[in-house]
Amino acid sequence: MSRQRIQLLAGAIVVILIVLFGLRGIDTNDTGIDDSPALNELASIADAEIADEARTGDWLAYGRTHSEQRFSPLTDINRSTVSDLKVAWYLDLPQDVGLVSTPLVVDGVLYFTGTMNVIRAVDATSGQPIWEYDPDVAGHIGSRRQVGWVHNRGISFYKGRIFAATWDGRLLALDAQTGELAWSSRTFDADRPLYITGAPKAFKGKVLIGNGGTEVGRSRGFVTAYDADTGAEAWKFYVVPGNPAYGFENAAMAMAAETWTGSWWEHGGGGNAWHGFTYDPEFNAVYVGTGNGSPWNRRIRSPGGGDNLFLSSIVALDADTGAYLWHYQTTPGESWDFNSSMDIVLADIEVDGKPIKAILHAPKNGFFYVIDRASGRLVSAEPFARVTWATHVDPETGRPVETPDARYEDGEAEIWPSAHGAHSWQAMSYNPVTGLVYLPTMNLGGRFVDMGLDASWRMEEFIGGTGVGLFEILVPDDIAPGMLQAWDPVKQEPAWSVPQEHPWNAGTLTTAGNLVFQGRSDGMFLAYDATTGAELWRYDLGLGISAPPITYKLDGRQYVALLVGYGGSYTMGFTPGLPDEGWAYGVHRRRLVAFALDGDASLPPQPPPYKPEPLVYADFPLDESIVMQGAMLYGTYCGICHGGGAVANAMAPDLRASAVPLDATGFAEVVREGSRANRAMPPFAALTDEELKAIRHYLRYVAHRDAGITSN
Ligand code: CA
């Protein structure tokens, strides 16, 4: 097997964050009594409506309903009519960059979160803007929490309010009619190296949110539920146990502590739940998909081994109190970034003639799990992608059977899937008519190398690391790197699959029109026959798609809408060994686009894929003696967004082609003073004049080299 390999330095998975200023507790800013009559109608929309699978005029929750199935009973757009699907309206979003979120539709209004966590409300039949709320993320950043990710995956609606979370850790409640802030609660302290990219989950008068950060500093994951009316904390659940010397918060933490060794609390342990929150009205439970270990390498965080609960698990919690109910751990002793934060879908299925209230879950580790949600018991698990770390999941014990060299302790191991996972946050959908799950799949491998680091190793806050010495991403040449799979959760095998050249494609939508919709990284938006996988329709949106589509029906017309804006971790700095689609920052217009049968809007074309030309500036007095210093600084601070070797992907300008680094004063204004903070370019206030100079000289060196010019 030939492979393209790109090696990254240990600890150079530098996820860079920004320190907030202002440590605040609950910042209630209630606007008082609202007596608007229309509000009463919105205020009555709560759990019964969100759980109503037959309700087709709205899209009320992240996964459409509380089941998170992303299945719509609408049939106007179907196998016969889908060929007439055309653009009905669009909204250009010139300030946006990466777009990954699922919009909501409530009573004719479409709500979505975009770049820098800006929330917008538009008319769902025309795209006409109604209101916009900018949470001023740039205004909440400080010296260390550098903005690295401008994304958020979604919002929640409950009783007349939109709930959104910000990168810097705030949970916001907005009046759905006016966009006015009802309350804002800080979910973690400003000086902690955490961030939020996930959608809050509203249910039963509460709003749940977690956070990310396992690679950014020593981290102990937790989720918190807030009162939807007031923003006051209702309950909190830690994912991993803390220092036993201080006692445990509950019996579940005491139980979990039995599965850890060494002084794990000094590393945090991780488990940060950054995605995957599902509310189950039938069992009054909330299911939380938990994160990977911090650091990745178990030998560092738990040197005597152990399962390390509740890493990489589904944990069921009492919806009212947050009390532990049960858990199922997909990757005991996690060591590969195999978190279980992928979506958790509720479905009633029948296995061997027996009805099961099931959870369907396809986490990073490459196994598709069917779990009985009455008990947390494993029903079945089979691999849905190339998997080498385990041979199978033992049906009796519910545990994976690892291959002998899966753990890279004292050595190295080639492991499939890669740390990107066989499936990530890109939503899967479940169609109860076909009985199939439509699953965006990645076939990538990774090489994990233990550099002999031991428990004395410490992750540096805001600089981050993984505790894995070296890794590379392996791209297969004998199977497709990406696949859209129709997965049969009963037979635990694919009904059909469509190979894809690029792995980083968007989440899916399925309908009773017997259709599956998916956007791809090459800009194509496609509809497939849900039963056979036959392609029925495609539309070239001219920019990579990373967000999942939704559908709703208003005034007798069915719409399919989605955000278009290539995004997510893959599209940022390092895109190892994969085809560069040419979706450039500032070149391709980010958009919200809605389709309908016989739509008559004319969508302006996008520029073709763009490859930046390195800027040649022969008069630049290149000092090669500081280029290496500049390369190290660039790798630490800049590469995560601007790209390895200064070759940019979609999320930030290509600095080889930028004139900004030519001028010392202008460069300092942008990089150190933060003059473009509101465009997601954070200030790096600690960089010295000398360091800025070294970065500028490195950029010039790379630009001239890549332009084929021998410097000086
Ligand atoms: Ca992770």
Side-chain angles (χ1 to χ4, degrees):
M1 183 181 300
S2 71
R3 302 181 185 101
Q4 292 168 288
R5 300 176 171 187
I6 293 195
Q7 301 190 333
L8 305 178
L9 282 170
I13 304 178
V14 184
V15 181
I16 298 172
L17 304 167
I18 291 176
V19 175
L20 291 161
F21 50 81
L23 269 179
R24 289 182 297 179
I26 291 167
D27 173 14
T28 303
N29 192 11
D30 208 303
T31 51
I33 297 163
D34 191 326
D35 54 5
S36 160
L39 183 64
N40 294 334
E41 195 182 325
L42 289 183
S44 70
I45 297 175
D47 292 289
E49 290 73 21
I50 298 172
D52 183 359
E53 298 289 341
R55 191 179 174 104
T56 54
D58 300 317
W59 184 288
L60 290 179
Y62 178 74
R64 198 181 85 90
T65 62
H66 275 325
S67 74
E68 308 289 333
Q69 288 180 357
R70 291 176 182 261
F71 166 78
S72 171
L74 290 170
T75 56
D76 298 6
I77 301 168
N78 57 47
R79 275 187 288 197
S80 307
T81 61
V82 69
S83 56
D84 292 326
L85 202 56
K86 297 184 180 69
V87 175
W89 57 261
Y90 68 93
L91 177 66
D92 278 351
L93 303 166
Q95 299 298 311
D96 283 54
V97 187
L99 294 169
V100 297
S101 72
T102 300
L104 303 183
V105 174
V106 188
D107 196 26
V109 178
L110 186 150
Y111 304 89
F112 68 99
T113 180
T115 296
M116 303 297 279
N117 308 147
V118 173
I119 319 296
R120 295 183 181 89
V122 305
D123 185 313
T125 63
S126 68
Q128 195 65 37
I130 296 171
W131 57 255
E132 175 177 316
Y133 181 83
D134 183 351
D136 187 23
V137 172
H140 287 73
I141 60 177
S143 61
R144 285 207 300 164
R145 189 188 298 272
Q146 267 84 34
V147 169
W149 294 351
V150 297
H151 303 104
N152 185 280
R153 287 179 298 276
I155 52 182
S156 237
F157 176 88
Y158 197 84
K159 290 189 175 177
R161 282 177 175 170
I162 295 291
F163 298 93
T166 62
W167 170 264
D168 55 79
R170 288 167 291 158
L171 181 64
L172 310 173
L174 306 175
D175 183 311
Q177 281 200 315
T178 64
E180 281 174 30
L181 185 69
W183 53 258
S184 169
S185 290
R186 174 147 291 293
T187 72
F188 48 77
D189 290 343
D191 57 356
R192 297 181 65 181
L194 301 172
Y195 57 86
I196 299 177
T197 54
K201 177 64 192 174
F203 61 93
K204 224 181 171 185
K206 297 182 177 62
V207 189
L208 181 81
I209 191 68
N211 53 68
T214 52
E215 289 86 12
V216 189
R218 286 176 275 169
S219 181
R220 182 187 179 202
F222 61 90
V223 293
T224 317
Y226 294 85
D227 185 299
D229 288 332
T230 66
E233 184 176 315
W235 53 257
K236 184 173 197 164
F237 183 83
Y238 283 98
V239 176
V240 298
N243 187 342
Y246 302 129
F248 297 113
E249 289 84 0
N250 50 52
M253 285 296 103
M255 174 181 79
E258 298 295 318
T259 67
W260 290 77
T261 53
S263 302
W264 71 86
W265 57 90
E266 293 180 3
H267 298 281
N272 298 56
W274 50 270
H275 187 82
F277 312 123
T278 296
Y279 167 61
D280 184 347
E282 292 182 82
F283 291 93
N284 195 40
V286 178
Y287 307 119
V288 175
T290 68
N292 54 278
S294 182
W296 293 2
N297 192 341
R298 184 181 63 172
R299 183 159 86 165
I300 296 171
R301 64 171 195 267
S302 185
D307 286 354
N308 293 182
L309 292 172
F310 297 103
L311 297 182
S312 304
S313 302
I314 291 175
V315 180
L317 303 174
D318 183 289
D320 297 317
T321 65
Y324 166 91
L325 300 174
W326 56 257
H327 75 277
Y328 178 81
Q329 189 174 41
T330 58
T331 310
E334 195 286 310
S335 245
W336 309 272
D337 195 22
F338 286 166
N339 57 61
S340 226
S341 299
M342 289 66 243
D343 38 358
I344 296 166
V345 177
L346 310 183
D348 294 340
I349 63 172
E350 201 173 285
V351 178
D352 298 332
K354 188 173 157 247
I356 291 174
K357 296 211 168 287
I359 280 173
L360 310 178
H361 183 55
K364 275 187 176 182
N365 76 12
F367 286 92
F368 192 102
Y369 294 87
V370 178
I371 295 163
D372 184 337
R373 57 193 215 255
S375 62
R377 185 183 59 86
L378 177 74
V379 175
S380 61
E382 293 293 338
F384 63 90
R386 176 165 287 169
V387 170
T388 65
W389 70 278
T391 56
H392 64 289
V393 177
D394 185 315
E396 298 306 316
T397 63
R399 297 175 64 89
V401 178
E402 289 178 19
T403 49
D405 51 359
R407 294 191 179 269
Y408 45 89
E409 296 171 6
D410 292 320
E412 63 176 77
E414 177 183 320
I415 298 294
W416 297 67
S418 78
H420 286 290
H423 172 224
S424 192
W425 48 265
Q426 287 86 349
M428 63 185 194
S429 57
Y430 171 72
N431 188 322
V433 182
T434 63
L436 299 173
V437 173
Y438 302 98
L439 175 59
T441 307
M442 293 185 276
N443 278 311
L444 299 172
R447 185 169 296 279
F448 292 76
V449 184
D450 185 317
M451 297 275 281
L453 298 170
D454 62 21
S456 65
W457 182 83
R458 289 289 182 276
M459 201 189 301
E460 190 179 340
E461 295 204 334
F462 295 102
I463 297 297
T466 62
V468 179
L470 194 70
F471 87 98
E472 53 194 333
I473 297 297
L474 312 173
V475 183
D477 63 0
D478 58 336
I479 53 172
M483 290 191 292
L484 171 63
Q485 293 194 91
W487 190 264
D488 185 327
V490 177
K491 294 180 182 166
Q492 284 283 23
E493 63 183 30
W496 52 262
S497 70
V498 176
Q500 294 164 329
E501 182 190 355
H502 198 292
W504 196 251
N505 301 300
T508 64
L509 160 71
T510 185
T511 72
N514 209 48
L515 296 173
V516 180
F517 290 92
Q518 187 192 29
R520 288 196 318 217
S521 65
D522 64 357
M524 289 295 168
F525 184 40
L526 301 104
Y528 301 92
D529 184 310
T531 304
T532 67
E535 183 184 318
L536 300 175
W537 173 85
R538 67 163 62 193
Y539 190 97
D540 185 356
L541 282 160
L543 170 61
I545 302 163
S546 299
I550 64 166
T551 190
Y552 53 93
K553 187 171 179 175
L554 290 167
D555 304 330
R557 198 177 201 202
Q558 184 185 354
Y559 295 86
V560 175
L562 81 169
L563 287 157
V564 183
Y566 196 45
S569 59
Y570 230 108
T571 70
M572 296 177 62
F574 307 107
T575 313
L578 290 164
D580 174 7
E581 302 281 13
W583 308 129
Y585 178 93
V587 174
H588 299 95
R589 181 59 55 88
R590 278 60 176 169
R591 287 173 166 148
L592 171 64
V593 183
F595 294 84
L597 296 177
D598 297 318
D600 59 1
S602 171
L603 192 66
Q606 293 274 17
Y610 174 79
K611 306 279 172 160
E613 293 282 323
L615 189 62
V616 174
Y617 190 73
D619 293 342
F620 191 90
L622 186 67
D623 179 354
E624 296 209 15
S625 71
I626 58 174
V627 164
M628 183 53 71
Q629 183 199 0
M632 297 299 288
L633 290 163
Y634 178 91
T636 302
Y637 298 108
C638 319
I640 186 69
C641 290
H642 291 278
V647 180
N649 205 336
M651 295 306 300
D654 189 297
L655 297 180
R656 300 169 307 160
S658 168
V660 173
L662 293 175
D663 173 56
T665 307
F667 192 66
E669 280 173 9
V670 174
V671 178
R672 190 165 57 199
E673 321 305 335
S675 65
R676 294 188 186 173
N678 62 353
R679 297 296 305 274
M681 173 59 204
F684 293 82
L687 289 175
T688 65
D689 285 344
E690 260 186 21
E691 289 171 327
L692 290 175
K693 183 179 175 185
I695 296 170
R696 292 174 54 234
H697 283 247
Y698 165 70
L699 291 170
R700 214 68 271 125
Y701 172 83
V702 175
H704 288 187
R705 182 196 65 193
D706 293 353
I709 288 171
T710 310
S711 54
N712 290 0

